[in-house]
Structure formats: C-alpha cells, structure tokens
Amino acid sequence: MEKVDSLINARWVIPVEPDCEALDYHSVAIRGGRILAVVPTAEAEERFEATDVIDRPGHVVMPGLVNSHTHAAMTLLRGIADDLPLEDWLRGHIWPAESRWVSAEFVADGTELAIAEMLRSGTTCFSDMYYFPDVVARTAARLGMRVCVGLIVLDLPSAWADSANDYIAKGLALRDEYKAHPLVTTAFAPHAPYTVSAESLTRIRKLSDELDTPLHVHLHETAGEIADSVSSHGERPIERFRRLGLLSPLLIAVHMTQLEQEDIAEIAEAGSHVSHCPESNLKLASGICPVARLLEAGVNVALGTDGAASNNDLDMFGEMRSAVLLGKLAADSAAAVTARDVIRMATVNGARALGLGEETGSLVPGKWADMIAVDLDRVNTRPVFDPVSQIVYAAGRDQVTDVWIAGSRLLRESSLARIDEGDLLDRVRGWQRRISLTDQESADR
C-alpha cells in the first residue's frame, strides 16, 4: 500500500477540472502537501495507508475558493460609511480614515481578521491590494494562508510610500524577498487609471512584462470614471490602456461594469482576465459586469469580494450566489451564467488570473492540496439532487467545516487551527474604540 499523509473520504468530490461535476463516494489522497490522487473511496481504502484518515460522509470536498480581489486590512473599516455613492464613500470617508489610521499595526490586525473570516468561509487564496504589502505577506505566511500580494502603486503619498517611484521600489524589493515562497506570490497593483499617471502605468507595464508578473488594477468601475477619463484624456480608460500596451494576458481588470461589445472583443483577444465583484458593485450602485457576454467571448472571469468596507463581508459563497443570479438578470436569460460557471469563477478561473492555475484552483494530482469540506447534511441543503447546484444556490459559508492549504488543515471541524480568535477580537475591539472616538471628535468639531 502507498503511504500518504492524509486521506479524505467524502460523499461527493467536485474536482472542477476537467469537468465541474460531482463524483460520488470519492477520496482525495495527500502527500507532501500536494494532491496525489482523486479516486473512488473503495479503491482508496485498498490502495493507500494514511497517517490521517478523515471521513466526511455528508460533505462535498472541493477546491478552496480563490478571492481574486480584496483589500484585506479594510475589515477594520467595515461599516463606517455605508449607503453612500462611491465617490462620497471613497473621498469623503474611506480615504480620510485611511490617512488617519493606516499603519503596519493596522494592516497586520486587519489582515489577520480578514484571513480568519476567509478561512471560515472556505477561501484558501486571496489577491490583495493595499498599503504595507510586506505586512500582508508576512501575516499570510505566518498563518499558512495562500496570497497574491498586490504591490500597490499610486501617485499619492501614504504611510507606506511617498511617491510612485517609492511604491515601485518597495514593491520590487518585496517581490524579490518572496519570489521562492510556497504560499506568497506577487502582482503589480496600480490602484486605478485616475490615481496613477500614464508614465507610472507605462513603467509598471514594462516591469510586468519583463518579470512575467500579473498586473492587478481597478478598471471601468463606474460610469463616472468613464466620463472623467473622456473629459480629462479624450478617451475611455480601456482605450488608454490599449494605447499604453496594458491589455495583455497578465492584466487582471477589476470590476469592469461599463463595457461595450468591442471592449469585450479586445479583452478576449488580449487574453486579459476580469475580476467580478458583484456584491460590492451592487452596494455602491457601480454597475453590472456583463459576465455572460464575457464568458461567451472566452474571457477568463474570476470572482472577488472587494474589501469588507464596501461589501461588507468576505463571503465567497455569497458572491457565487449573487454572481449567478445577477448574471442571469443582466443577460435576460435563466440559462446564462450557470452554477458550474460560477464555481469555476470562484476556483480555477481565479487561480488562472493570478498566474497560479498550475498550482491550485482544482483537485488535480500534482497541485497543492488547497481544498475545503462543505457539509450538505443540513436542513437547508437537503435533499441533494445536484451537489454542484446545491453549493451555489443553497449552501452557506457556515457549512464549511474543514479547510486545507498545501495539505495543512487550517480549519478543523469549524475551529481555526492557527488563530487565537479571543486575542484577535480583543485587538479588533481596541481598533473599534479608537476609530469611533476619532469619528465622534470629528462630528463634535
């Protein structure tokens, strides 16, 4: 018998690749942190001798979810400026709060809070865009979380850097520090076309091409962004990106709610990726990403939550359900954007967008064992006729019982293995008191 580290026996396994179908009574064998085999349980019991055998008789085992766009540390700003238009929310409330509070300590505690929430929600990899990316990388590595750290760039000074050149220099140093890390990868992350100059964007594009590193940016988020670009530059942002050579297989364009058919054709031809954040777009009334048309054109569409300040959670199960329903409504077709489409968006499509498609995102032998167990033996998910549909239309994040990243079990029967929740919540309450007092002092003035 072959010796393995872990053998997970499940009622259903959804490998996602090659087909997004549920396999009855299958098992996943893990050795050295990677998937060795996905086989029927009867075969696994005869073939493998495991150090750790885990039976999940009412569960789906599937790839961990990939959150392709978030601002993890903004969990500490959850709910401070709800029900406002994007421009007022961002410039009138979020940016001033960040200017007052963002520090290495803020980012460390906010990122740990986000990772705790994401692990409980079945997310095993996230793509971050925020200040102090070194702290994000260090926190994720310490907690065993897979992350693609955005090397943030703006033309505006912040507590992290004082100029675009400073952001880029610090980002390149961080990329070099983590280039061989098994859990941490990097992406260039210019914030948006309206906060980063053409000169800086061109430099970042050259670095992205030279280093074969993804380029992660907010793009075509609102109608106002389009109008301002036309007024200021005489062209829409995507036209500006095309002129600057930014449309490429390395580009991850976030939001993309304002698209014409020729835009979609160009994105598809360039091989660029789209990160769809349905709930944030809905809450801020930013617009609707035309997911069905993007998929029809062959564009790789991933799924993200955005930050908890604008969502207000990091729940990828919620994003899957919102994406599938909104996608049908936008396409005016109940057959458009299926449950299988959004599971791919939330797993392997996200991994591909981040340049990790060969390493994670599906349960394929050789890939890292990044996976989750979801209990469908609950009143809200019984009876089970189609486990794939049940995950998208009926299951919730509270049904995630176990999470593995690189074979390490970070959520064990609904308990976090590496995070002291009591200590974490004490620190978060401290931030709440400080931020609330500052808000009250501002109101009194």
Side-chain angles (χ1 to χ4, degrees):
M1 297 181 74
E2 294 182 65
K3 292 188 177 181
V4 296
D5 300 321
S6 300
L7 187 66
I8 295 92
N9 304 317
R11 175 61 181 83
W12 303 276
V13 173
I14 303 174
V16 175
E17 289 186 299
D19 299 308
C20 195
E21 300 296 338
L23 307 176
D24 287 336
Y25 299 107
H26 267 59
S27 300
V28 181
I30 301 170
R31 186 164 64 198
R34 293 185 180 269
I35 297 167
L36 180 65
V38 179
V39 295
T41 298
E43 177 184 337
E45 290 174 343
E46 293 183 357
R47 177 176 165 186
F48 299 115
E49 179 184 340
T51 302
D52 189 22
V53 177
I54 300 164
D55 293 316
R56 291 291 176 259
H59 293 59
V60 161
V61 167
M62 61 182 286
L65 306 179
V66 178
N67 186 344
S68 66
H69 177 69
T70 192
H71 314 281
M74 291 184 79
T75 51
L76 290 180
L77 300 177
R78 193 194 321 255
I80 70 165
D82 285 339
D83 303 324
L84 296 173
L86 175 62
E87 194 71 11
D88 186 12
W89 173 82
L90 189 61
R91 297 180 186 274
H93 298 270
I94 296 301
W95 283 355
E98 289 179 325
S99 178
R100 172 68 179 84
W101 290 110
V102 170
S103 64
E105 181 189 8
F106 178 97
V107 172
D109 289 344
T111 300
E112 184 169 348
L113 180 64
I115 288 173
E117 180 179 356
M118 286 190 279
L119 287 173
R120 286 197 167 280
S121 304
T123 294
T124 56
C125 177
F126 70 103
S127 181
D128 199 54
M129 178 193 281
Y130 209 60
Y131 307 104
F132 293 93
D134 59 330
V135 176
V136 177
R138 187 163 60 248
T139 302
R142 174 174 62 85
L143 298 176
M145 184 69 159
R146 193 174 303 283
V147 63
C148 179
V149 178
L151 308 177
I152 184 74
V153 179
L154 298 97
D155 286 339
L156 309 169
S158 69
W160 165 245
D162 59 22
S163 67
N165 287 337
D166 194 22
Y167 284 103
I168 292 170
K170 288 182 173 179
L172 288 171
L174 182 63
R175 178 190 176 276
D176 288 345
E177 181 180 353
Y178 282 93
K179 62 184 178 183
H181 199 281
L183 292 174
V184 180
T185 58
T186 55
F188 290 105
H191 173 260
Y194 54 86
T195 54
V196 183
S197 68
E199 180 183 2
S200 295
L201 286 170
T202 299
R203 184 181 173 198
I204 293 164
R205 187 262 299 168
K206 290 178 180 177
L207 287 168
S208 173
D209 290 346
E210 176 186 339
L211 300 172
D212 194 29
T213 299
L215 196 159
H216 180 174
V217 62
H218 297 100
L219 188 66
H220 279 230
E221 185 171 1
T222 66
E225 176 194 337
I226 311 303
D228 289 346
S229 180
V230 171
S231 175
S232 300
H233 305 288
E235 57 189 351
R236 298 161 72 242
I238 199 166
E239 293 167 343
R240 191 165 166 233
F241 267 47
R242 179 179 60 247
R243 179 171 55 80
L244 295 172
L246 287 158
L247 297 184
S248 82
L250 294 171
L251 179 66
I252 308 165
V254 183
H255 295 301
M256 299 294 268
T257 67
Q258 315 290 319
L259 293 176
E260 298 174 359
Q261 196 58 41
E262 53 266 35
D263 300 330
I264 294 173
E266 284 197 311
I267 295 163
E269 184 178 358
S272 299
H273 312 270
V274 170
S275 175
H276 177 36
C277 303
E279 293 191 0
S280 177
N281 293 340
L282 286 166
K283 183 170 182 256
L284 294 171
S286 299
I288 300 174
C289 178
V291 172
R293 288 192 287 143
L294 287 164
L295 293 175
E296 287 168 7
V299 175
N300 182 58
V301 181
L303 202 59
T305 61
D306 211 346
S310 64
N311 186 308
N312 291 21
D313 58 37
L314 305 178
D315 178 7
M316 287 287 286
F317 278 80
E319 297 298 332
M320 284 194 288
R321 191 159 191 262
S322 294
V324 77
L325 298 177
L326 186 61
K328 294 175 185 298
L329 181 65
D332 193 26
S333 169
V337 189
T338 67
R340 284 155 177 79
D341 288 333
V342 297
I343 284 185
R344 291 188 191 97
M345 288 164 59
T347 56
V348 71
N349 288 12
R352 288 171 179 159
L354 302 181
L356 296 172
E358 298 301 314
E359 296 294 326
T360 189
S362 59
L363 303 186
V364 174
K367 287 192 178 186
W368 288 111
D370 296 351
M371 46 195 253
I372 63 176
V374 185
D375 184 6
L376 295 189
D377 202 15
R378 306 277 184 94
V379 293
N380 60 298
T381 45
R382 283 291 184 178
V384 182
F385 299 111
D386 182 349
V388 176
S389 289
Q390 212 74 332
I391 288 289
V392 173
Y393 292 112
R397 63 176 171 176
D398 62 302
Q399 291 171 253
V400 177
T401 61
D402 303 271
V403 172
W404 295 263
I405 297 177
S408 179
R409 198 169 168 207
L410 300 184
L411 188 72
R412 295 171 175 267
E413 297 179 354
S414 302
S415 294
L416 291 167
R418 295 194 186 181
I419 297 175
D420 182 336
E421 289 191 63
D423 173 68
L424 173 59
L425 290 173
D426 280 345
R427 282 179 274 142
V428 171
R429 283 188 283 267
W431 282 109
Q432 180 181 339
R433 285 191 294 271
R434 278 178 273 178
I435 294 169
S436 297
L437 284 171
T438 303
D439 287 348
Q440 186 58 52
E441 290 168 2
S442 298
D444 290 343
R445 287 197 297 270

